[in-house]
């Protein structure tokens, strides 16, 4: 006899387990939940003897794992709609950044904002993610670029995880851009970011992973290597913004440090893909940034498939290059722009995204032992999650077995 808090029944399950049916589908399924975790999931005809305190009948709706947005910059001050207009007028991302715009233009607004202000504005963006089925979100720092402001951002991210009805994983992104006050002495900033800010954030329990932006307009492989060595000494996993604008060896660097993920990877060549495959690094595809920057170099999806590199999909929600606050929009763009199949895209926002955050044992599939983070959809087939743009599809959402 299984004692459960909740039985979910009369539903179709896209378990997203590997192998077996497409989407790991179970046509007439049921899920038993106790203590916030799945204790049984399978065909309703195989439902074991149980005593459930509550039963939710879903009228044949589809249930997936709660979606996971594994790459966001959700916490920031201000916006950069003016730069959007500049890019529409022909300016490139690099030109705007070198002229003092881009990331550093968000720094002043973020530094000036209070923690409460940052929290309130982040919730407006989070609402879009939650409405599209997200139950876990990664949130980066990187718009503070000084000790107090970086820690302020990370504290806000932790507060979101405590109060806003989602699981949150934080990433320290101190090497995002060189702040204006250090433009004449970038080495001094790298020292501060590596040797002062990261240890302080880690000591306060604010960091789940360490990230960096490795590009000619940002930081070199040597500078990022220093940061990753420090992360390794603190026992923290790493991830990397890699090869977005050029093949600068970012994917290979991520592989060298056994990174959880290499993100963007539009310009990654075969050597970098091979290195990722050997190291088990997830490729996180960010089609929103590709769209907004009007890029033409798509990620090497065929190479990634051929070498067995798992592909995640995320919004990259940020003020400059991907003001995208819809996970289903990201799924659509991944299919339309990068030619992922709907099953690949949905796996990329569930099972693979969990791996990109080091959460494979916790979430990402519907199976016993996992957190009962579930999304219930008004659809007739899972491909609709990648098909519709703007149509409300979410019927309900469970976080740790509680409807939220």
């Amino acid at each position: 006899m299984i004692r459960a808090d909740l039985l979910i029944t009369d539903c179709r399950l896209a378990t997203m387990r590997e192998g077996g049916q497409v989407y790991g589908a179970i046509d007439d399924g049921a899920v038993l939940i106790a203590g916030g975790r799945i204790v049984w999931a399978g065909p309703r005809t195989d439902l074991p003897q149980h005593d459930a305190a509550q039963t939710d009948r879903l009228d044949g709706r589809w249930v997936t794992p709660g979606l996971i947005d594994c790459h966001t910059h959700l916490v920031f001050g201000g916006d950069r709609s003016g730069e959007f207009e500049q890019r529409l007028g022909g300016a490139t991302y690099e030109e705007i950044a070198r002229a003092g715009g881009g990331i550093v233009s968000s720094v002043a607004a973020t530094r000036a904002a209070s923690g409460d202000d940052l929290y309130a504005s982040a919730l407006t963006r989070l609402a879009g993610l939650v409405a599209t089925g997200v139950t876990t979100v990664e949130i980066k720092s990187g718009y503070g670029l000084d000790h107090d402001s970086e820690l302020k951002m990370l504290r806000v991210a932790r507060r979101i995880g405590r109060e806003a009805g989602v699981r949150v994983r934080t990433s320290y992104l101190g090497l995002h851009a060189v702040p204006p006050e250090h433009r004449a002495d970038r080495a001094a900033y790298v020292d501060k970011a590596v040797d002062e800010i990261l240890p302080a954030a880690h000591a306060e329990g604010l960091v789940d992973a360490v990230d960096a932006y490795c590009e000619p307009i940002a930081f070199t492989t040597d500078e990022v290597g220093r940061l990753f060595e420090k992360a390794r000494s603190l026992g923290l996993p790493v991830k990397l913004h890699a090869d977005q604008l050029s093949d600068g060896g970012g994917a290979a660097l991520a592989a060298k440090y056994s990174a959880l993920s290499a993100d963007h990877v539009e310009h990654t060549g075969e050597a970098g893909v091979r290195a990722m495959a050997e190291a088990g690094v997830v490729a996180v595809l960010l089609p929103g940034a590709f769209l907004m920057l009007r890029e033409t170099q798509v990620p090497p999806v065929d190479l990634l498939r051929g070498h067995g590199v798992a592909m995640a999909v995320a919004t990259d929600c940020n003020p400059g290059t991907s003001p995208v606050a819809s996970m289903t929009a990201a799924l659509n763009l991944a299919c339309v722009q990068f030619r992922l199949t709907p099953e690949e895209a949905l796996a990329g926002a569930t099972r693979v995204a969990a791996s990109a955050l080091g959460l494979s044992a916790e979430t990402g599939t519907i199976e016993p032992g996992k957190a009962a983070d579930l999304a219930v959809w008004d659809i007739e087939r899972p491909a609709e999650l990648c098909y519709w743009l703007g149509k409300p599809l979410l019927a309900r959402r469970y976080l740790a077995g509680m409807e939220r």
Side-chain angles (χ1 to χ4, degrees), residues 27 29 52 105 139 309 340 350 354 386 402:
D27 189 55
S105 69
I139 302 176
V309 176
L340 266 62
T350 53
C386 305
M402 301 292 292

Side-chain angles (χ1 to χ4, degrees), residues 110-201:
T110 302
R111 288 178 175 179
S114 69
D116 286 343
D117 289 341
L118 291 175
Y119 178 77
S121 66
L123 290 189
T124 66
R125 296 179 283 274
L126 180 66
L129 300 181
V130 166
T132 51
V134 169
T135 53
T136 298
V137 61
E138 183 255 17
I139 302 176
K140 304 178 191 295
S141 68
Y143 291 126
L145 305 184
D146 63 26
H147 180 282
D148 291 347
S149 300
E150 284 291 293
L151 268 62
K152 175 176 65 176
M153 291 185 69
L154 291 167
R155 290 181 190 122
V156 169
R158 284 285 190 242
R159 180 181 173 188
I160 291 169
R162 291 193 306 269
E163 299 177 6
V166 291
R167 297 184 190 276
V168 168
R169 298 290 281 183
T170 60
S171 295
Y172 169 70
L173 183 57
L175 295 192
H176 196 197
V178 177
E181 66 271 21
H182 284 284
R183 194 165 292 151
D185 188 5
R186 63 183 288 127
Y189 177 69
V190 172
D191 289 344
K192 179 178 291 189
V194 173
D195 297 324
E196 176 191 325
I197 305 175
L198 173 57

Side-chain angles (χ1 to χ4, degrees), residues 8-16 31 58 60-65 366 373-377 379 398:
I8 293 174
T9 188
D10 188 14
C11 60
R12 291 172 281 181
L13 302 178
T15 69
M16 302 313 298
V31 183
L58 300 183
R61 291 183 173 90
W62 277 95
V63 181
T64 70
I366 299 175
D373 297 348
L374 306 170
V376 182
W377 306 95
I379 56 177
Y398 296 90

Side-chain angles (χ1 to χ4, degrees), residues 71-74 76 80 125 143 264 289 315-324:
H71 181 128
T72 86
H73 305 254
L74 200 68
F76 57 83
R80 280 157 45 199
R125 296 179 283 274
Y143 291 126
H264 288 290
T315 65
D316 192 16
C317 181
N318 75 69
T321 62
S322 189
V324 176

Side-chain angles (χ1 to χ4, degrees), residues 4-69:
D5 302 314
L6 176 64
L7 167 65
I8 293 174
T9 188
D10 188 14
C11 60
R12 291 172 281 181
L13 302 178
T15 69
M16 302 313 298
R17 299 178 189 173
E18 291 191 85
Q21 297 289 327
V22 176
Y23 302 103
I26 298 172
D27 189 55
D28 183 9
V31 183
L32 285 168
I33 296 166
R37 295 199 169 266
I38 299 166
V39 294
W40 186 89
R44 182 161 54 166
T45 54
D46 296 342
L47 189 64
Q49 289 239 331
H50 62 277
D51 178 14
Q54 176 181 331
T55 298
D56 286 357
R57 293 180 173 84
L58 300 183
D59 300 321
R61 291 183 173 90
W62 277 95
V63 181
T64 70
L67 303 190
I68 299 168
D69 195 349

